[in-house]
Amino acid sequence: MMTAQKKRITIPYRPEPLWKMTIHPALESHRFSVIVAHRRFGKTVGTVNHLIKKCVQNHRRSPMYAYVAPFRNQAKLIAWNYLKYYTHVIPGVRINESDLFIEFPSRYQGAQGGRIYIIGADHPDNLRGTYWDGAILDEYAQIKAELWDEVVRPSLADRNGWCIFIGTPKGQNQFYEIYQKARREPDWYCCMYRADESGVFAPGGRLGPKELDDMKRDMSEEGIRQELYCDFTASAFNILITIDMVTAACKKVYQKADILGAPRILGVDVARFGNDSCAITRRQGLVAYKPKVFHAISNMDFAARLIQEINDFRPDAVFVDSGRGEGVIDRCRQLGYEVTEVSFGGKALEPAHYVNKRAEMWDAMRKWMQAGGSLPDMPELKTELVTPEYSFDAANRMKLEPKEKIKERIGKSPDVADSLALTFSYPVYPVVPKEAVHGSGATCNTDYNPF
């Protein structure tokens, strides 16, 4: 009896030596990976073919994979044609142009075959409510950080799915954070390839040295540093608080004796819009504690949580954002708790130097970090701290990028960082240490995990 021979199918992908010898093997052996690379490195082609390979080799029922870019139209423009081209030689592949997915023939009777979806992060609901065997997050610097934390990461749990973050630096943001995380975590893979080391622009390379020279001639110095040499700080000249400051502050460790006598302060930011957060931050001297964040909470409920914080922490001052916090402030005062309302747009204590109170508070927070302030290792806080840009008005007074513009740019308001900034609203002078009255041990529990 003769058996039919299986037909060998060759996908028209020829990986460059660096991908073949180094990157692809690393992606195969790591669940989570971060690739930082210059423009024209071939990130999309390489990772799309990794998706295809993993989907074809997956023998589970109905595998699901996703390629995610910041916007759907961008995702379609960048990856869709590549996906169709590299799979067109596979018999039985079905292309869905409206929903942007490729479906492979099923190995199981009555079940759908493996699918690879092209998805925009501007439509996050397309990623919710299902499992994913693997995902690519392209240009992660332009994707809301919450997409990974709240949507993608949980959806990978069912199948022990993997994820690859790819992109070129665009300042110090969540892409920088995930790159630093990958560098620290032994079970993550990370790599960075600059234009002068990848081989793409080398003699005999895919683009060659002349193209690199031409690109450099046509680009700004900042663009060259960022797009070709993967410098995360290239566009950070007008960032008030740099990621290096934040990273250093997260490494600071103090004993309780170091902050005895320093005033205890609460900063309270109240949500402005439906998807914003309420946040409470404790600070004593050079130590800031992990903020408590509340989502979708009413003013009355939040006031109750704030009162509980006041009772627990016994602060010497409570500064509450008055922008949307009127109800919280009124309720606290009604119950006999003393709080100070702070208007972000109000007059600064030093009006000759700052346009408003918000700029003054944030700059005071920056100076506190430089003086040795200690931060909790909280990704959301760190990302928000390095987000606002600053400039100067005609009178040479510092002003910060408006919160509305920040929200438009990154998809959320920096509520958590604002709660810490509020602890610098007004001077609060040292008092008699409560520890001297009530007694305590000699160690300091700051509720955070330094690097």
Side-chain angles (χ1 to χ4, degrees), residues 111-126:
Q112 75 173 43
R115 289 183 178 183
I116 300 176
Y117 283 83
I118 301 297
I119 298 174
D122 52 337
H123 292 82
D125 289 340
N126 292 339

Side-chain angles (χ1 to χ4, degrees), residues 259-295:
I259 57 174
L260 283 177
R264 302 182 182 208
I265 306 170
L266 283 181
V268 185
D269 189 72
V270 185
R272 284 162 173 73
F273 304 103
N275 62 343
D276 286 346
S277 306
C278 293
I280 304 173
T281 296
R282 299 180 179 189
R283 182 174 67 84
Q284 183 174 12
L286 288 173
V287 175
Y289 298 79
K290 185 176 181 179
K292 295 185 177 179
V293 183
F294 305 90
H295 302 279

Side-chain angles (χ1 to χ4, degrees), residues 242-255:
T242 68
I243 193 66
D244 292 333
M245 290 184 201
V246 172
T247 300
C250 287
K251 295 180 179 179
K252 297 288 184 181
V253 179
Y254 293 99
Q255 300 299 313

Side-chain angles (χ1 to χ4, degrees), residues 80-374:
W80 182 233
N81 285 336
Y82 284 139
L83 183 59
K84 290 190 293 184
Y85 172 71
Y86 287 112
T87 58
H88 81 277
V89 296
I90 302 175
V93 163
R94 183 168 71 92
I95 299 173
N96 188 310
E97 290 283 355
S98 59
D99 293 328
L100 298 186
F101 70 80
I102 295 286
E103 183 176 318
F104 297 91
S106 176
R107 292 185 173 90
Y108 296 88
Q109 186 68 30
Q112 75 173 43
R115 289 183 178 183
I116 300 176
Y117 283 83
I118 301 297
I119 298 174
D122 52 337
H123 292 82
D125 289 340
N126 292 339
L127 286 160
R128 295 182 187 272
T130 188
Y131 60 85
W132 296 101
D133 293 84
I136 307 293
L137 298 186
D138 192 2
E139 297 297 352
Y140 185 60
Q142 301 176 52
I143 293 176
K144 298 177 185 178
E146 293 83 356
L147 186 75
W148 165 246
D149 293 333
E150 300 175 8
V151 181
V152 177
R153 181 60 184 88
S155 71
L156 297 173
D158 290 346
R159 300 279 194 120
N160 195 38
W162 51 266
C163 186
I164 304 171
F165 301 82
I166 63 176
T168 301
K170 284 191 175 297
Q172 298 167 319
N173 45 39
Q174 66 267 18
F175 188 42
Y176 179 87
E177 284 292 321
I178 205 72
Y179 171 65
Q180 293 298 332
K181 176 181 175 64
R183 293 179 64 187
R184 296 191 303 269
E185 298 290 344
D187 55 344
W188 282 54
Y189 168 67
C190 74
C191 62
M192 176 184 286
Y193 290 103
R194 300 177 176 87
D196 58 345
E197 59 192 19
S198 69
V200 173
F201 296 105
R206 174 163 47 88
L207 298 181
K210 183 179 183 304
E211 183 62 25
L212 178 61
D213 291 340
D214 290 346
M215 291 175 69
K216 290 167 69 174
R217 186 178 60 250
D218 296 334
M219 297 169 65
S220 66
E221 181 62 30
E222 178 186 325
I224 293 171
R225 287 173 54 202
Q226 177 174 280
E227 305 295 324
L228 298 179
Y229 294 104
C230 300
D231 185 352
F232 280 100
T233 68
S235 60
F237 67 93
N238 61 338
I239 298 294
L240 181 66
I241 298 174
T242 68
I243 193 66
D244 292 333
M245 290 184 201
V246 172
T247 300
C250 287
K251 295 180 179 179
K252 297 288 184 181
V253 179
Y254 293 99
Q255 300 299 313
K256 196 166 187 178
D258 298 328
I259 57 174
L260 283 177
R264 302 182 182 208
I265 306 170
L266 283 181
V268 185
D269 189 72
V270 185
R272 284 162 173 73
F273 304 103
N275 62 343
D276 286 346
S277 306
C278 293
I280 304 173
T281 296
R282 299 180 179 189
R283 182 174 67 84
Q284 183 174 12
L286 288 173
V287 175
Y289 298 79
K290 185 176 181 179
K292 295 185 177 179
V293 183
F294 305 90
H295 302 279
I297 188 172
S298 69
N299 274 358
M300 291 296 287
D301 288 339
F302 185 54
R305 298 297 184 96
L306 174 55
I307 289 170
Q308 182 179 349
E309 283 292 298
I310 294 172
N311 291 336
D312 290 344
F313 190 51
R314 293 175 295 142
D316 300 295
V318 181
F319 297 122
V320 184
D321 165 31
S322 64
R324 288 294 184 274
E326 300 93 338
V328 175
I329 294 168
D330 291 344
R331 180 59 174 168
C332 288
R333 289 174 176 171
Q334 183 184 41
L335 296 176
Y337 290 85
E338 182 178 347
V339 299
T340 302
E341 56 187 285
V342 180
S343 171
F344 279 20
K347 186 177 180 181
L349 293 176
E350 298 183 59
H353 296 139
Y354 303 100
V355 167
N356 54 26
K357 172 59 71 176
R358 177 167 172 258
E360 184 176 58
M361 291 188 300
W362 272 76
D363 198 40
M365 180 167 60
R366 177 186 64 83
K367 293 175 181 176
W368 170 82
M369 289 185 203
Q370 292 178 324
S374 172

Side-chain angles (χ1 to χ4, degrees), residues 5-81:
Q5 290 185 341
K6 293 183 178 179
K7 181 180 179 182
R8 182 179 179 86
I9 300 170
T10 302
I11 292 175
Y13 172 54
R14 299 291 182 271
E16 295 178 352
L18 184 57
W19 279 90
K20 182 177 181 179
M21 304 302 295
T22 303
I23 300 176
H24 280 308
L27 298 181
E28 292 283 351
S29 59
H30 292 80
R31 185 180 181 192
F32 299 115
S33 304
V34 179
I35 300 175
V36 182
H38 63 82
R39 293 295 175 201
R40 312 311 305 160
F41 177 69
K43 300 182 292 293
T44 302
V45 170
T47 52
V48 162
N49 277 281
H50 184 72
L51 275 175
I52 295 169
K53 178 181 178 181
K54 301 301 287 186
C55 190
V56 169
Q57 291 181 340
N58 193 332
H59 290 184
R60 288 180 171 179
R61 186 182 297 272
S62 303
M64 299 272 283
Y65 295 88
Y67 177 97
V68 185
F71 303 97
R72 188 176 189 271
N73 288 342
Q74 178 186 15
K76 182 177 181 180
L77 182 65
I78 293 173
W80 182 233
N81 285 336

